[in-house]
Amino acid sequence: MKKLSICFVIMLLILSGCSSGTENNSQFAGENSLKSDWKEITTKAKGSKVNFFMWGGDEGINRYIDEWVAPRLMEQFNIELKRYPMDAVEFINKLKTEKRATKKSGVMDVIWVNGENFKTAKQEKLLLGPFTSKLPNFQQFVDTESDDIKYDFGFPTEGYEAPWGKVQFVFAYDSNKITNPPKSIDELKSWVKQNPGKFTYPAPPDFTGSAFIRHVLHEKSKDYNAYLSKYDEALVKGEADQVWNVLNEMKPYLWREGKSYPQSLSQLEQLYKNGEVWMTLGYDEANASNLIKTGEFPASTKTFVLDKGTLSNTHFLAIPYNAPNPDGALTLINFLLSPSAQMKKMELEYWGENMSLSVERFPDKDRDIVESIDRGSATLSQEELSSHQVPEIGAEYVQWLERGWMKNVANK
């Protein structure tokens, strides 16, 4: 009887241990981080490694992370930063797979994301959050009431992602070949007809090509602000014919007579470098200055915006629901939102991109530094850029236009 009682006690202890382990495993590491104060978060992050998954297609951006951010993260927080180059669609699909497999600890700590990929991740509960209220630099330096912070392509961010930077769409041209660049879509259409073969744009759904057709919609729409509200297919259907008409009028005069299109911005830029086209375009107002500096673009390259404006886009950082090191992730993101990190990111040495912070909230000495940053010979003034900003429309409209372009332009 005594032997039976001992066995029973042992069994209870084993079951108790199993139950305790199951209960602990039912929680994700990030849930505890969101309940911690900032001092606890940074203390737990010390001595850890953060895995940063991000698009790796720009050498300057990669060097900014590897040569400037990583050493300082180690020096200030004793955190090792490991960058993994991967497109957003790939790591979102990876998270979907892990979610289906109920994997409670993944490999991604921070991801670079925005637009439709963010919407998918948020709706499918692939993200930790909301977390931005935990970040001292977000609270101190970000204009939290700004629409481009509160919304990502019309979808509410609600603290599930932190703004890393801002870019604005510009057109770049060779001033030795073009003396008076067009300032509207109609003027561009006329210029294309007068200079056959010297203009093209990447085929949607490429990010840059998709943005170009949205500029056509912006100029032809009776009320562009309506596209900032809830998705209404009847609205875009009613105005889309004007978009297709403009693009089809231009088509025979494009590079290769519109029979084929570059598949990416890099391919379009290569055509410009080769002199096959005289104009290129894209998000990132300082990109042309960067490429002049490296000798890839001619020194005669300049940029312009349309009189009615060009799209301004904010991109973000998020933390996966099953991040193995959420404390390190929060510490990294907060560091990337510091004035020093954002000001360094503006310099052409690495990136040249505009910051996501509100300069008005900076100390006077930092505001003076921002004003003194040389963004390059081809970069328009901040005053001109900011006075020509156009907000992004909802992701559903973007997808509808991309499908419509395939049917009504590419296949005609």
Side-chain angles (χ1 to χ4, degrees), residues 351-396:
W351 197 335
E353 183 198 53
N354 205 359
M355 62 178 62
S356 63
L357 309 182
S358 176
V359 180
E360 292 75 17
R361 301 185 179 204
F362 281 19
D364 289 342
K365 63 180 180 64
D366 286 340
R367 273 185 287 193
D368 291 341
I369 294 172
V370 172
E371 290 176 7
S372 69
I373 293 174
D374 180 7
R375 302 190 70 200
S377 59
T379 308
L380 298 172
S381 70
Q382 191 55 43
E383 182 181 0
E384 183 168 5
L385 289 166
S386 59
S387 65
H388 289 82
Q389 289 182 346
V390 174
E392 293 282 9
I393 61 179
E396 293 93 341

Side-chain angles (χ1 to χ4, degrees), residues 48-89:
S48 66
K49 182 175 80 169
V50 175
N51 297 323
F52 190 0
F53 281 68
M54 56 181 283
W55 176 68
D58 186 285
E59 187 56 36
I61 297 173
N62 296 340
R63 288 193 299 104
Y64 169 69
I65 295 297
D66 297 341
E67 298 176 9
W68 195 88
V69 174
R72 285 158 182 80
L73 201 68
M74 174 59 72
E75 179 184 345
Q76 295 181 33
F77 304 99
N78 192 27
I79 294 174
E80 178 188 353
L81 179 59
K82 177 68 175 176
R83 177 179 59 84
Y84 291 88
M86 184 182 289
D87 287 343
V89 173

Side-chain angles (χ1 to χ4, degrees), residues 171 188 191-192 195-203 208-209 212 250-251 253-265 267-269 271-272 276-281 405:
F171 294 77
L188 176 62
W191 185 91
V192 167
N195 299 274
K198 300 305 179 184
F199 179 83
T200 188
Y201 56 93
T208 304
F212 175 69
M250 293 171 61
K251 187 176 178 179
Y253 304 94
L254 297 178
W255 173 76
R256 290 189 176 175
E257 300 177 333
K259 294 174 182 175
S260 64
Y261 294 80
Q263 295 304 300
S264 65
L265 175 58
Q267 289 185 14
L268 174 59
E269 288 182 340
L271 294 177
Y272 179 77
E276 294 184 62
V277 297
W278 293 352
M279 205 180 291
T280 182
L281 42 84
W405 182 85

